Amino acid sequence: MQKITFLIHCKDQKGIIAAVTNFILKVEGNITYIDQHVDVEQNVFFMRLECELTNRSIAIEDIKTDFKDSIASSFQMSWELYNQEQKPKMALFVSKYDHCLFDILGRYSADELGVEIPVIISNHNDLRSIAERFDIPFHCVPFTKDTKEEGEKQQIALLKKYDINFIVLARYMQIITPKLIGLYENKIINIHHSFLPAFPGAKPYHSAFKRGVKIIGATSHYVTEELDEGPIIEQDIARVSHIHSVDDFIMKGRDLERIVLARAIKLHAERKTMVYSNKTVVFS
Amino acid sequence: MQKITFLIHCKDQKGIIAAVTNFILKVEGNITYIDQHVDVEQNVFFMRLECELTNRSIAIEDIKTDFKDSIASSFQMSWELYNQEQKPKMALFVSKYDHCLFDILGRYSADELGVEIPVIISNHNDLRSIAERFDIPFHCVPFTKDTKEEGEKQQIALLKKYDINFIVLARYMQIITPKLIGLYENKIINIHHSFLPAFPGAKPYHSAFKRGVKIIGATSHYVTEELDEGPIIEQDIARVSHIHSVDDFIMKGRDLERIVLARAIKLHAERKTMVYSNKTVVFS
Amino acid sequence: MQKITFLIHCKDQKGIIAAVTNFILKVEGNITYIDQHVDVEQNVFFMRLECELTNRSIAIEDIKTDFKDSIASSFQMSWELYNQEQKPKMALFVSKYDHCLFDILGRYSADELGVEIPVIISNHNDLRSIAERFDIPFHCVPFTKDTKEEGEKQQIALLKKYDINFIVLARYMQIITPKLIGLYENKIINIHHSFLPAFPGAKPYHSAFKRGVKIIGATSHYVTEELDEGPIIEQDIARVSHIHSVDDFIMKGRDLERIVLARAIKLHAERKTMVYSNKTVVFS
Amino acid sequence: MQKITFLIHCKDQKGIIAAVTNFILKVEGNITYIDQHVDVEQNVFFMRLECELTNRSIAIEDIKTDFKDSIASSFQMSWELYNQEQKPKMALFVSKYDHCLFDILGRYSADELGVEIPVIISNHNDLRSIAERFDIPFHCVPFTKDTKEEGEKQQIALLKKYDINFIVLARYMQIITPKLIGLYENKIINIHHSFLPAFPGAKPYHSAFKRGVKIIGATSHYVTEELDEGPIIEQDIARVSHIHSVDDFIMKGRDLERIVLARAIKLHAERKTMVYSNKTVVFS
């Protein structure tokens, strides 16, 4: 039995839910999950719907065409329809930090993430051996400030070659250029090591230590052109106290970074996130 | 504009959501909230729906009749329809502990809970002065093991007199009899001072201390005939360590009890809870 | 048996712990709690010690003199010695928000805080009836931008009259002047409704909502001349999601504010906090 | 500069701290950490102390002898002295679940745990390839109910061969026999997938689901002869709701198990745990 996922958003109007659920009835779908959200301030309606197609003779492509013509156009919807069997392809960008990489590859091996990882790209060779241990192609694309454009070209070529759907920056530590962001809008996930908007930019643990906070955090977000200002997907925190040094913050933070990034990857892979107004709707 | 809340559950079937949302369209309701849940194991469908009635000439009573005839009967639904303007009436049962009482009355005065509290009932007079400070009628119904039945009669008379919809046991410390439970099925909320099912019964903090746990908790649940076995509404926890004595556990636990009970009251008052198979569905 | 608390800090040096514990032995004290902390970066030693004085014929004043002469001077210590029987006197500053006030007075009535509250001071009369309900003197000191200096004089006169040791701003919403801060250095506790340093200043819940955070927080801190920049005593957080409106943030935040402020009051009252370099050491 | 760690416990008596810190002064140690705890009920004193030895000509062995003669015997102390350079050797026992194994080996590779892992022992061959990926010797010791004694002999021989200090059961799923427990008293760490004492024994996630809890947990503890009754080292929890299936519980639980077990390993490796009365003192 095929399973599909709808993501829909449009101006809030009367009758959307009735129309969509009537449509699913019509194509003999069995709704297994439906959730919706209305942003009252901005008058936007969001919906996520999963269903099983009980009639094999109705093809997904036909459903798409039918939905577009009979529903989406009249409500002026933005929408996507995913076949749940097709796992999204994720590229991992890394640099020298290995803890998020180990965590993601461990989860990937244990088949927890719902993605395929066809390639790991780095500007350094330090983590090549880890990629090899997990039998994942590793490409080193080194660049300097002056050759960044050239490096980006190589990255984009690799992303095309491997047919990549979304990118995860696992403590990549490099600023992504507007060109690459444009190609993967709301499809590049970063992990920042603070509870944003506190402590954006470099060395957040050091800043947190200096400020004497009692809580540190980590934040996964989609990358936009404004550094550390993109739509937040997930955050989590850990308690610290005066007994903890900066190094303790960093060590505790590693666990936060691992967990928060893994959650964001899973949410994105399962098509549970939608972006608008620089915020996310995260369906449960 | 009148606002109403539907709570519905029935056997899971195709077309329920379409039918209900079509009905709301028909009565010119504007859906502001809809959430549903399917218990896959037991094949039960649950729905909570809020809407604004935009046409004043359609009366709530007529909507009820129409819904019953056109929808509820064909799907064999159990359902309730609440007018959001009618705050539920809550009776507080207390004994000698005052921390939950102070917290509830503080929130009540700050208009946080969405309830009316027409009466406080106790088996002791210790907390009378607190009730008086907040201008709430206080009735002391003392009883012994031998006069418990008589005491319960008086309690039930008071509950009728004040037209009570649900009961909150704010550290009441007495076992509720099957008769009263029967009259208020899934409408008596207790706060137990452990993360159930760990440490049911008396002195849970002492047991937790003895066991050397690193986490203590509190649990709000609907009262059933099995002591501390009723459907759980909400739980929360706090960290403890070897430096904490039993008294520290009790002190930390007071905050848990306050918060967890207040959340449960608010959820019940807003009709966000549904009970089945000794569990709760808690809509967000 | 008298119980005393020492708070000590000085340049880190060999032999401090040995010297202090030998001193306690000498005055026949029985150490019931001792904790210390070294700030390695700044080379500062901190200690908190509680002991029972087993010999009634040794007076606390004599212990003070002896400690000063035999220990404190040679190590160039800053130190304080408290008699645990003397509860600190706390003034509550409030404005129009009542939820923290209700919470503090509820805890005060339940004898949880370890303080005396001889007076509540406000720039409005809105909360007078609550103070009266709890039988605590309430003084309204209204002022405008132009009469702020005069208002402050009246406040200071009240603080002297009631012999106040420390001040709690329970959502007071007014900026404290340098003069008053100077009189109560590290003795004015504020509750700010965000996880500082995120969202300082006005309307933090609105800013948090706009930013699309997944976690909101509250922070209690000592007031310094830099707004919301003082030493942090305690922080806590709550999860939010896209389904929550600004009003939901505010409602969830009320619980955070209550809890975080109550914890800070208790820590200060029990002399568990020490301030240096705009940070706190918070002993457990 | 050599660094050492003392763990001490004995009957609570006057003058212990003074005696120990005077001793450290005498051997020219510079105390970098000291913490103590008194179990008031049982009148037991616990201390953990770290110091740097500033005088190279004083050997650790001599310090041990001196401490024993001059301090430990008069206070009748149980005590241990560790050289911080000697990482404890840890054996991993696994079965078929790989998520804790991946996590531990990832952390081990990132040098987070402060241990050596000379060997992985399993009753199945399923996880051999993971061990090989991380270049750690893997020994499969299969056994049946009838050959359990023989299997245990082989395990013990391996533990001796690799000079193992402590054992970690990473979802090993087999009951450890009293003989092995006796050889490694308070040195076998298990991870149980519930917040003990709730849901001991098999299938705790299923039981938690059935009970309708709103919080699930994981517990690391030292193994004793009573199943899941040993001293608790660390616990953590995650929120669940009616939308989560048993499989969701299991998936969320995997993160809990990973984190809680990793913390326990680190605490044990850094000699921060002490056991008494079936509880732990866990120094920070």
Side-chain angles (χ1 to χ4, degrees):
Chain A
M1 200 149 39
Q2 277 187 304
K3 294 184 182 182
I4 58 174
T5 303
F6 271 100
L7 288 184
I8 295 166
H9 71 103
C10 60
K11 190 163 153 290
D12 193 23
Q13 303 149 70
K14 259 195 197 171
I16 307 175
I17 299 172
V20 173
T21 54
N22 286 332
F23 175 85
I24 300 297
L25 263 184
K26 191 183 77 177
V27 299
E28 299 179 41
N30 188 25
I31 297 176
T32 54
Y33 171 95
I34 175 168
D35 200 2
Q36 54 285 314
H37 170 63
V38 175
D39 186 299
V40 177
E41 275 192 357
Q42 309 201 16
N43 201 38
V44 185
F45 173 88
F46 301 86
M47 177 185 261
R48 185 175 182 277
L49 184 148
E50 295 184 4
C51 71
E52 300 168 339
L53 301 176
T54 54
N55 185 337
R56 280 168 178 241
S57 66
I58 302 178
I60 289 183
E61 284 314 306
D62 294 339
I63 291 175
K64 277 190 187 178
T65 309
D66 190 357
F67 187 77
K68 188 181 155 197
D69 295 344
S70 63
I71 308 283
S73 58
S74 61
F75 286 99
Q76 292 186 280
M77 288 174 173
S78 300
W79 63 286
E80 292 164 289
L81 192 165
Y82 297 101
N83 181 340
Q84 287 186 21
E85 271 151 39
Q86 288 169 0
K87 290 184 185 178
K89 290 181 183 164
M90 160 180 142
L92 260 174
F93 279 39
V94 299
S95 185
K96 295 184 168 183
Y97 287 106
D98 59 4
H99 60 286
C100 282
L101 179 60
F102 266 123
D103 187 65
I104 290 168
L105 297 185
R107 290 169 192 272
Y108 181 54
S109 300
D111 203 19
E112 282 184 25
L113 294 176
V115 299
E116 282 183 44
I117 305 179
V119 64
I120 297 172
I121 296 172
S122 180
N123 55 337
H124 293 285
N125 263 311
D126 302 51
L127 306 184
R128 179 181 293 278
S129 70
I130 299 174
E132 286 170 353
R133 245 186 257 183
F134 287 84
D135 295 320
I136 298 174
F138 181 96
H139 292 268
C140 184
V141 181
F143 53 84
T144 62
K145 230 191 272 186
D146 294 340
T147 66
K148 190 157 189 180
E149 203 174 332
E150 177 50 33
E152 192 195 57
K153 268 188 205 164
Q154 289 183 48
Q155 291 174 340
I156 291 172
L158 286 166
L159 297 171
K160 282 190 183 155
K161 178 185 164 193
Y162 287 102
D163 196 19
I164 293 303
N165 297 111
F166 75 109
I167 299 169
V168 169
L169 312 180
R171 298 297 310 274
Y172 175 55
M173 310 301 286
Q174 297 291 321
I175 289 174
I176 304 297
T177 59
K179 190 176 172 191
L180 187 48
I181 293 173
L183 288 172
Y184 285 88
E185 204 187 340
N186 297 327
K187 287 180 178 163
I188 307 177
I189 297 173
N190 185 41
I191 178 73
H192 182 74
H193 37 317
S194 79
F195 50 86
L196 290 173
F199 312 122
K203 300 230 168 206
Y205 293 129
H206 289 77
S207 305
F209 179 78
K210 189 154 180 297
R211 180 62 185 90
V213 298
K214 301 302 183 189
I215 282 175
I216 57 170
T219 305
S220 57
H221 62 95
Y222 289 115
V223 174
T224 59
E225 293 195 26
E226 309 302 313
L227 183 67
D228 298 333
E229 293 279 350
I232 293 171
I233 304 166
E234 169 68 341
Q235 302 186 285
D236 212 341
I237 59 99
R239 292 203 160 267
V240 291
S241 78
H242 64 273
I243 69 166
H244 296 111
S245 64
V246 173
D247 286 345
D248 294 330
F249 279 32
I250 291 170
M251 183 58 74
K252 276 173 167 277
R254 291 162 74 105
D255 266 352
L256 289 177
E257 296 162 29
R258 277 188 267 246
I259 292 274
V260 170
L261 182 54
R263 284 189 202 142
I265 292 171
K266 206 161 180 327
L267 288 169
H268 184 90
E270 293 172 349
R271 290 93 180 200
K272 292 190 170 169
T273 62
M274 297 181 75
V275 172
Y276 76 109
S277 298
N278 205 45
K279 292 178 170 190
T280 59
V281 170
V282 177
F283 292 105
S284 54
Chain B
M1 200 146 45
Q2 277 188 304
K3 295 184 180 180
I4 58 174
T5 303
F6 271 100
L7 288 183
I8 296 164
H9 72 105
C10 60
K11 190 165 155 288
D12 193 25
Q13 304 150 69
K14 256 194 200 172
I16 308 175
I17 298 172
V20 173
T21 54
N22 287 332
F23 175 85
I24 301 296
L25 262 185
K26 192 182 77 177
V27 299
E28 300 181 39
N30 187 26
I31 297 177
T32 53
Y33 172 96
I34 175 168
D35 199 3
Q36 54 286 314
H37 170 65
V38 175
D39 186 299
V40 178
E41 274 192 357
Q42 308 200 18
N43 200 39
V44 185
F45 173 89
F46 301 86
M47 177 185 263
R48 185 176 180 276
L49 184 149
E50 295 185 5
C51 72
E52 299 167 339
L53 301 177
T54 54
N55 185 338
R56 280 168 178 242
S57 66
I58 302 178
I60 291 184
E61 284 312 307
D62 294 340
I63 292 175
K64 278 191 185 175
T65 308
D66 191 357
F67 186 79
K68 187 182 156 196
D69 294 345
S70 63
I71 307 285
S73 58
S74 63
F75 286 101
Q76 291 186 281
M77 289 174 173
S78 299
W79 63 285
E80 291 165 291
L81 192 165
Y82 297 102
N83 181 341
Q84 286 186 19
E85 272 151 38
Q86 289 169 358
K87 291 185 184 176
K89 290 180 184 165
M90 160 180 144
L92 262 173
F93 278 39
V94 298
S95 184
K96 294 183 169 184
Y97 287 107
D98 59 5
H99 58 288
C100 283
L101 179 60
F102 267 124
D103 187 65
I104 290 168
L105 296 186
R107 291 169 192 271
Y108 182 52
S109 300
D111 202 19
E112 283 185 25
L113 295 175
V115 299
E116 282 182 46
I117 305 180
V119 64
I120 299 172
I121 297 171
S122 180
N123 54 337
H124 293 284
N125 263 310
D126 302 52
L127 306 184
R128 179 182 292 277
S129 69
I130 299 175
E132 286 170 353
R133 246 187 257 183
F134 287 84
D135 294 321
I136 297 174
F138 181 95
H139 292 267
C140 183
V141 181
F143 53 83
T144 63
K145 228 191 273 187
D146 293 341
T147 66
K148 190 158 187 178
E149 202 173 331
E150 175 53 31
E152 192 194 56
K153 268 189 204 164
Q154 289 182 49
Q155 290 175 340
I156 291 173
L158 285 166
L159 297 171
K160 279 190 184 156
K161 177 185 165 194
Y162 287 101
D163 196 19
I164 293 303
N165 298 111
F166 75 109
I167 299 169
V168 167
L169 312 180
R171 301 296 310 277
Y172 175 55
M173 312 301 285
Q174 297 291 322
I175 290 175
I176 304 296
T177 58
K179 187 174 174 195
L180 187 47
I181 294 173
L183 288 173
Y184 285 89
E185 204 187 340
N186 298 328
K187 287 182 177 161
I188 306 175
I189 298 174
N190 185 40
I191 179 74
H192 182 76
H193 37 316
S194 80
F195 49 87
L196 290 173
F199 311 123
K203 300 229 168 207
Y205 293 129
H206 290 77
S207 305
F209 180 79
K210 189 154 182 294
R211 180 62 186 88
V213 298
K214 302 300 184 189
I215 281 174
I216 57 169
T219 305
S220 57
H221 64 94
Y222 289 113
V223 174
T224 59
E225 293 195 26
E226 308 303 314
L227 184 66
D228 299 331
E229 293 280 351
I232 294 171
I233 306 168
E234 169 68 343
Q235 301 187 285
D236 211 340
I237 60 97
R239 292 202 160 267
V240 292
S241 80
H242 64 274
I243 69 167
H244 296 110
S245 64
V246 173
D247 286 344
D248 294 329
F249 280 32
I250 291 170
M251 183 58 74
K252 276 175 168 276
R254 290 162 74 104
D255 265 352
L256 290 175
E257 295 162 29
R258 277 188 267 246
I259 291 275
V260 170
L261 181 54
R263 285 188 201 142
I265 292 171
K266 207 163 176 332
L267 289 168
H268 184 90
E270 295 173 348
R271 288 94 179 196
K272 291 189 169 169
T273 61
M274 296 181 76
V275 172
Y276 76 109
S277 298
N278 206 44
K279 291 178 170 190
T280 60
V281 171
V282 178
F283 292 104
S284 54
Chain C
M1 200 149 42
Q2 278 188 302
K3 295 184 181 181
I4 57 175
T5 303
F6 271 99
L7 288 182
I8 295 166
H9 71 104
C10 60
K11 189 164 154 287
D12 192 25
Q13 304 150 67
K14 257 193 197 171
I16 307 175
I17 299 171
V20 173
T21 53
N22 286 332
F23 175 84
I24 300 297
L25 263 186
K26 193 183 77 177
V27 299
E28 298 179 41
N30 188 25
I31 298 176
T32 53
Y33 173 95
I34 176 169
D35 200 2
Q36 53 285 313
H37 170 63
V38 175
D39 185 300
V40 177
E41 273 191 358
Q42 308 200 18
N43 202 39
V44 184
F45 173 89
F46 301 86
M47 176 185 262
R48 186 175 180 277
L49 184 149
E50 294 184 5
C51 72
E52 301 168 337
L53 300 176
T54 54
N55 184 338
R56 281 168 178 243
S57 67
I58 302 179
I60 290 183
E61 285 313 306
D62 294 340
I63 291 175
K64 278 190 185 176
T65 309
D66 191 357
F67 187 76
K68 186 181 156 195
D69 295 345
S70 63
I71 308 284
S73 58
S74 60
F75 286 99
Q76 292 185 279
M77 288 172 173
S78 299
W79 63 286
E80 292 166 289
L81 192 165
Y82 297 101
N83 182 340
Q84 287 186 18
E85 273 152 38
Q86 290 170 359
K87 291 184 183 177
K89 290 181 183 164
M90 160 179 144
L92 262 174
F93 279 40
V94 298
S95 186
K96 293 182 170 185
Y97 288 107
D98 59 4
H99 58 287
C100 283
L101 179 60
F102 267 125
D103 187 64
I104 290 169
L105 296 185
R107 289 169 193 271
Y108 182 52
S109 299
D111 203 18
E112 283 186 24
L113 295 175
V115 299
E116 283 182 42
I117 305 180
V119 65
I120 298 173
I121 297 172
S122 180
N123 54 338
H124 293 285
N125 263 310
D126 301 53
L127 307 183
R128 179 182 294 279
S129 70
I130 300 175
E132 286 171 353
R133 245 187 255 182
F134 286 85
D135 294 320
I136 298 175
F138 180 93
H139 292 267
C140 184
V141 181
F143 52 84
T144 64
K145 226 192 273 184
D146 292 341
T147 64
K148 190 156 187 179
E149 201 174 333
E150 175 53 30
E152 193 195 55
K153 265 188 205 165
Q154 288 182 48
Q155 290 175 339
I156 291 172
L158 286 167
L159 297 171
K160 279 191 184 154
K161 178 184 164 194
Y162 286 103
D163 197 19
I164 293 303
N165 298 111
F166 76 109
I167 298 168
V168 169
L169 312 180
R171 299 298 309 278
Y172 175 55
M173 310 301 286
Q174 297 292 320
I175 290 176
I176 304 297
T177 58
K179 189 175 171 193
L180 186 48
I181 294 172
L183 287 173
Y184 284 89
E185 205 187 338
N186 298 327
K187 286 179 177 161
I188 307 176
I189 298 173
N190 186 40
I191 178 74
H192 182 76
H193 37 316
S194 80
F195 50 86
L196 289 174
F199 311 121
K203 300 227 166 208
Y205 292 128
H206 289 77
S207 306
F209 179 79
K210 189 156 182 295
R211 179 63 186 91
V213 297
K214 301 300 184 190
I215 281 175
I216 57 169
T219 304
S220 57
H221 63 94
Y222 288 114
V223 174
T224 59
E225 293 195 25
E226 310 301 315
L227 184 67
D228 298 332
E229 292 280 351
I232 293 171
I233 304 167
E234 171 68 342
Q235 303 186 285
D236 212 339
I237 59 98
R239 293 202 160 267
V240 290
S241 79
H242 64 275
I243 69 166
H244 296 110
S245 63
V246 173
D247 285 345
D248 294 330
F249 280 32
I250 290 170
M251 183 58 74
K252 276 175 167 276
R254 290 162 74 103
D255 266 352
L256 289 176
E257 295 162 30
R258 277 187 267 248
I259 291 275
V260 170
L261 181 55
R263 284 189 201 141
I265 292 171
K266 207 164 179 327
L267 288 169
H268 183 89
E270 294 174 347
R271 288 94 180 197
K272 291 189 170 170
T273 62
M274 296 181 76
V275 173
Y276 77 108
S277 299
N278 205 45
K279 291 177 169 190
T280 59
V281 171
V282 177
F283 291 105
S284 53
Chain D
M1 199 146 44
Q2 279 188 301
K3 294 183 183 182
I4 58 174
T5 303
F6 271 99
L7 288 183
I8 296 165
H9 71 104
C10 60
K11 190 165 153 290
D12 191 25
Q13 303 150 69
K14 256 193 199 171
I16 307 175
I17 299 172
V20 173
T21 54
N22 287 332
F23 174 84
I24 301 296
L25 264 185
K26 192 182 77 178
V27 299
E28 298 179 40
N30 187 26
I31 298 175
T32 53
Y33 171 96
I34 175 169
D35 200 1
Q36 53 285 314
H37 170 64
V38 175
D39 186 298
V40 177
E41 274 191 358
Q42 308 200 16
N43 202 37
V44 184
F45 173 90
F46 302 86
M47 177 185 262
R48 186 174 180 276
L49 183 150
E50 295 185 4
C51 71
E52 301 167 337
L53 301 176
T54 55
N55 185 337
R56 282 169 176 242
S57 66
I58 302 179
I60 290 181
E61 283 314 307
D62 294 341
I63 291 174
K64 278 190 185 177
T65 309
D66 192 355
F67 186 78
K68 187 181 157 197
D69 294 346
S70 62
I71 308 284
S73 58
S74 61
F75 286 99
Q76 291 185 279
M77 288 173 173
S78 300
W79 62 285
E80 291 165 290
L81 192 165
Y82 297 101
N83 181 342
Q84 286 186 17
E85 272 151 40
Q86 289 170 359
K87 290 184 183 177
K89 290 180 183 165
M90 161 180 142
L92 261 174
F93 278 40
V94 298
S95 185
K96 294 184 169 183
Y97 288 107
D98 59 4
H99 59 286
C100 283
L101 180 60
F102 266 124
D103 187 65
I104 290 168
L105 296 185
R107 290 168 192 272
Y108 182 53
S109 300
D111 203 18
E112 282 184 25
L113 294 176
V115 300
E116 282 183 43
I117 305 180
V119 65
I120 297 171
I121 296 171
S122 181
N123 54 337
H124 294 285
N125 262 312
D126 302 53
L127 306 184
R128 178 182 293 279
S129 71
I130 299 174
E132 286 171 353
R133 245 186 257 184
F134 287 84
D135 295 320
I136 298 174
F138 181 95
H139 292 268
C140 184
V141 181
F143 52 84
T144 63
K145 227 190 274 188
D146 293 341
T147 66
K148 189 156 188 180
E149 201 175 334
E150 176 51 33
E152 191 196 57
K153 266 188 205 164
Q154 289 181 50
Q155 290 174 339
I156 292 172
L158 285 165
L159 296 172
K160 280 190 184 153
K161 177 185 165 195
Y162 287 101
D163 196 18
I164 293 304
N165 298 111
F166 76 108
I167 298 168
V168 168
L169 313 180
R171 300 293 313 274
Y172 174 56
M173 310 301 287
Q174 296 291 322
I175 290 174
I176 304 297
T177 58
K179 188 175 172 193
L180 187 47
I181 293 172
L183 288 173
Y184 285 88
E185 203 188 341
N186 298 327
K187 286 180 177 162
I188 306 177
I189 297 173
N190 186 40
I191 179 73
H192 182 75
H193 38 317
S194 80
F195 51 86
L196 289 173
F199 311 122
K203 300 229 169 208
Y205 293 128
H206 290 76
S207 305
F209 179 78
K210 189 153 182 298
R211 180 61 185 91
V213 297
K214 302 300 183 188
I215 282 175
I216 57 170
T219 305
S220 57
H221 64 92
Y222 289 114
V223 174
T224 59
E225 293 195 25
E226 309 303 314
L227 184 65
D228 299 330
E229 293 280 351
I232 294 171
I233 305 168
E234 170 67 343
Q235 302 186 287
D236 212 341
I237 60 98
R239 291 201 162 267
V240 291
S241 79
H242 63 274
I243 70 167
H244 296 111
S245 64
V246 173
D247 286 344
D248 294 329
F249 279 32
I250 291 170
M251 183 58 74
K252 276 174 167 275
R254 289 162 75 104
D255 265 352
L256 289 177
E257 294 162 30
R258 278 188 265 249
I259 291 273
V260 170
L261 182 55
R263 284 189 201 141
I265 292 171
K266 206 163 182 319
L267 288 169
H268 184 91
E270 293 174 348
R271 289 94 181 196
K272 291 189 170 168
T273 60
M274 295 181 76
V275 173
Y276 77 109
S277 297
N278 206 44
K279 291 178 169 189
T280 60
V281 171
V282 177
F283 291 105
S284 54

